[in-house]
Amino acid sequence: MQALVGDRLHVHSRVVGVEERLGEILEVRGREGAPPYLVRFVDGHEGLVYPGPDCLVESRSNS
């Protein structure tokens, strides 16, 4: 998985009744765009994310 600052991280829910999460990548801490990513989610929460198979990076150029 590769990302740039400003890209969006979309975390798909794998549990019924749990909403999907969308956040903006604020910082890329891995080498050459690799995780982990510092992400600010739409609810204002910020956290360090190691994306799993339920995550998708949406390029800021596609917005």
Side-chain angles (χ1 to χ4, degrees):
M1 180 172 289
Q2 302 289 315
L4 298 171
V5 171
D7 288 351
R8 290 192 213 185
L9 184 70
H10 191 134
V11 182
H12 298 282
S13 175
R14 298 175 69 192
V15 178
V16 174
V18 175
E19 293 185 24
E20 297 183 349
R21 299 185 76 194
L22 185 63
E24 179 184 356
I25 297 175
L26 303 176
E27 185 177 326
V28 177
R29 295 194 179 175
R31 294 182 62 171
E32 298 179 10
Y37 307 127
L38 180 63
V39 178
R40 179 183 302 127
F41 292 96
V42 293
D43 65 359
H45 173 79
E46 291 184 12
L48 193 60
V49 178
Y50 290 83
D54 56 344
C55 296
L56 173 68
V57 172
E58 298 172 349
S59 174
R60 65 180 165 210
S61 64
N62 292 339
S63 303

